[in-house]
Amino acid sequence: MITPRGLRSTPSARTVRIASGQGFWGDDLDAPVRQVRGGRIDYLMLDYLAEVTMSIMRKQQLRDPAAGYARDFVPLMARIFGDCVECGIRVVTNAGGVNPTECARAVAEVGRRAGAGGRARIGVVTGDDLMDRLDDLIAAGHALEHMESGEPLESVRPLVRSANVYLGARPIVEALRRGALIVVTGRSTDTALTYAPMVREFGWSWDAYDLLASGVVAGHINECGAQASGGNCSADWWEIPDLARVGFPIIEAGADGSFVVTKHPESGGVVTLRTVKEQLIYEMGDPTSYITPDVTADFTSIRLAPEGADRLRVHGIRGGPPTPFLKVSVAYAAGYKAVGTLVYSWPDAAAKARSAARILRERLDRLGLAFDRVLVELVGWDSTHGHLAGEPPPDLPEVQLRVGVRGPDRAAVERFTREIAPLVLTGPPAVTGFAGGRPRVQEIVAYWPALIDRAVVEPRLNVDVVEV
């Protein structure tokens, strides 16, 4: 065991502590540092990826072949590399995005500058990226049909920007087995970043489905960072203490699959039944069949038992075999969009904003500009609840008019951006809030979920372990 910033951490045969340090790309930059330096942990998991993130990274890589990964991860490792080497803390992350090899190279460089040369290894997992194989896979009969519409991917093939398979824990476990202090993957599932260390430490077999399912539940709790320890908590949110220093969750796991959700002492936030329950139902489909690459977990079997302040025991989880398929996350270009805003003040704020929207629409029609959709919202009144908000009161002090358009013609969307500012002097009175200037045209990246036979993916997975 270690004291903060102190002795080397040797994972216990009975308990392994896996800390969440990142819930998404852009999360609290200091949270991983607090996890590493705030008390004993054995592993730090960092989740950077969402569906749209991969397409953003692909666009970056097309501009710069050395890009395509979560750049924030590199300066973070510059801060904590020495701590991880000193304390034996292993880092598991999907920060590699579409370029895990280059990400690992950059991390190795900061490790050498931190004095870790010859003292650490980095594992690199590749094989999830299908972009170079898409045409061959489609020709071989893998239609990659949209999971909701059934439409074959071939219908949008020229527009595809990224295609990545969700990988499970097996390649991460292999990298850890080969001595990696840091494991960098591409599109790993969020949960695998937590249960791979459990498989490695406890020697679970790949057909021990109840144990693997327990690891998946632990990973699901860890994957969104502070959302399990008081952040974004809807129940009595005003009672959550010290969110400015919120402690991210830590999974304290045992070989029997049971685990405790906790956090570092003296950190902010709370770990309670309500905070963990809210995270458990996050992004939940069929609770009896939570599908991952390695196991199918039954979330209805979960049992929760408080064990004192900021300690919640989780046990009783049941699992079943995985499916023959892996999920593919495809992103494709789907036109362009732009969003413009103006703020109207009392009196008659809502009426002014609605009038301005009508005037704008008439001008767009007169210019012959056609869009797939024009969306008008009054932020401060109906942008969240739509028509359920009813009619705004006449004494509403101010409201933001937000108008967005989307369509296939970039030129039409560009022209829309030039029609917002004239409303300041050619529309209703009392406009403010246009300091941001003309709206920016953005490419729309749409999500295409599909399934693929795991037999054509897994043989091509690769694990490299390199010396720092």
Side-chain angles (χ1 to χ4, degrees):
M1 310 302 174
I2 69 165
T3 54
R5 293 187 60 79
L7 303 175
R8 180 176 177 80
S9 167
T10 302
S12 164
R14 294 180 297 118
T15 303
V16 175
R17 287 167 61 89
I18 307 161
S20 169
Q22 191 87 14
F24 63 96
W25 190 15
D27 205 353
D28 184 346
L29 294 173
D30 291 325
V33 181
R34 297 197 301 270
Q35 291 288 64
V36 166
R37 298 176 181 173
R40 177 210 154 198
I41 63 171
D42 302 305
Y43 288 85
L44 176 69
M45 63 77 69
L46 301 166
D47 178 20
Y48 285 89
L49 300 183
E51 285 75 12
V52 71
T53 313
M54 301 300 285
S55 60
I56 295 171
M57 291 177 172
R58 175 69 71 185
K59 288 168 67 175
Q60 293 174 343
Q61 187 187 36
L62 291 174
R63 293 192 295 267
D64 176 4
Y69 58 88
R71 298 267 189 174
D72 294 352
F73 178 58
V74 178
L76 166 65
M77 288 309 303
R79 297 174 67 185
I80 65 173
F81 212 120
D83 301 271
C84 292
V85 171
E86 176 187 0
C87 299
I89 298 170
R90 295 186 173 190
V91 178
V92 182
T93 181
N94 54 17
V98 300
N99 200 350
T101 300
E102 189 62 28
C103 178
R105 186 207 63 76
V107 171
E109 179 59 31
V110 300
R112 285 188 285 270
R113 290 201 297 266
R119 303 170 61 198
R121 295 177 178 177
I122 299 177
V124 187
V125 177
T126 56
D128 64 293
D129 194 336
L130 300 182
M131 274 300 291
D132 292 340
R133 300 178 58 198
L134 271 187
D135 293 329
D136 290 341
L137 288 169
I138 292 172
H142 300 279
L144 296 170
E145 298 170 341
H146 194 288
M147 291 175 64
E148 295 179 2
S149 70
E151 190 177 0
L153 184 64
E154 192 171 17
S155 63
V156 297
R157 173 62 187 93
L159 303 175
V160 171
R161 295 292 181 264
S162 65
N164 295 80
V165 176
Y166 286 81
L167 303 182
R170 294 178 189 241
I172 300 174
V173 172
E174 175 62 17
L176 294 171
R177 186 189 66 79
R178 291 165 59 180
L181 183 78
I182 300 164
V183 182
V184 177
T185 79
R187 179 63 279 191
S188 167
T189 62
D190 306 342
T191 56
L193 305 176
T194 293
Y195 74 85
M198 298 165 72
V199 174
R200 166 59 183 156
E201 293 292 334
F202 302 131
W204 294 344
S205 66
W206 294 109
D207 60 358
Y209 297 129
D210 289 350
L211 295 175
L212 295 175
S214 296
V216 166
V217 173
H220 185 71
I221 292 170
N222 248 359
E223 69 180 68
C224 289
Q227 192 161 281
S229 52
N232 196 27
C233 182
S234 62
D236 299 335
W237 59 268
W238 56 90
E239 296 182 359
I240 305 297
D242 200 5
L243 284 175
R245 297 187 312 112
V246 63
F248 277 44
I250 299 171
I251 300 297
E252 197 172 90
D256 64 352
S258 67
F259 59 91
V260 170
V261 187
T262 186
K263 64 183 185 69
H264 283 317
E266 310 304 324
S267 61
V270 292
V271 174
T272 64
L273 273 171
R274 72 188 185 202
T275 64
V276 174
K277 281 182 177 180
E278 283 203 25
Q279 175 57 28
L280 283 172
I281 63 174
Y282 170 74
E283 290 187 340
M284 178 56 58
D286 180 355
T288 67
S289 183
Y290 187 95
I291 298 172
T292 75
D294 297 312
V295 65
T296 300
D298 180 0
F299 273 48
T300 66
S301 65
I302 299 172
R303 297 295 178 264
L304 306 174
E307 277 197 351
D310 295 317
R311 291 183 63 83
L312 184 72
R313 178 164 293 279
V314 184
H315 62 100
I317 301 150
R318 308 288 294 178
T323 73
F325 302 100
L326 295 174
K327 186 177 179 181
V328 184
S329 176
V330 179
Y332 67 98
Y336 302 90
K337 68 177 181 179
V339 179
T341 63
L342 295 172
V343 176
Y344 287 88
S345 67
W346 179 91
D348 304 318
K352 294 172 183 174
R354 286 176 169 174
S355 176
R358 287 193 298 269
I359 294 168
L360 176 62
R361 189 60 187 266
E362 288 177 12
R363 291 175 180 172
L364 296 177
D365 290 343
R366 190 172 66 249
L367 291 168
L369 301 179
F371 304 100
D372 292 339
R373 189 178 182 191
V374 177
L375 179 64
V376 176
E377 297 176 324
L378 301 188
V379 181
W381 184 252
D382 67 1
S383 62
T384 300
H385 299 291
H387 70 279
L388 296 177
E391 287 298 311
D395 59 348
L396 194 68
E398 62 183 38
V399 70
Q400 182 187 70
L401 170 66
R402 181 163 64 193
V403 183
V405 302
R406 73 180 188 196
D409 185 356
R410 184 184 181 101
V413 176
E414 180 71 39
R415 182 57 192 267
F416 158 79
T417 69
R418 299 171 182 270
E419 295 301 316
I420 299 291
L423 287 169
V424 174
L425 295 182
T426 64
V431 177
T432 182
F434 194 66
R438 183 179 299 162
R440 182 168 60 94
V441 177
Q442 297 175 286
E443 183 181 24
I444 298 173
V445 178
Y447 177 52
W448 184 288
L451 298 177
I452 193 166
D453 185 342
R454 65 170 63 233
V456 302
V457 174
E458 290 178 334
R460 292 174 177 256
L461 297 181
N462 186 60
V463 178
D464 288 326
V465 178
V466 296
E467 297 286 343
V468 173

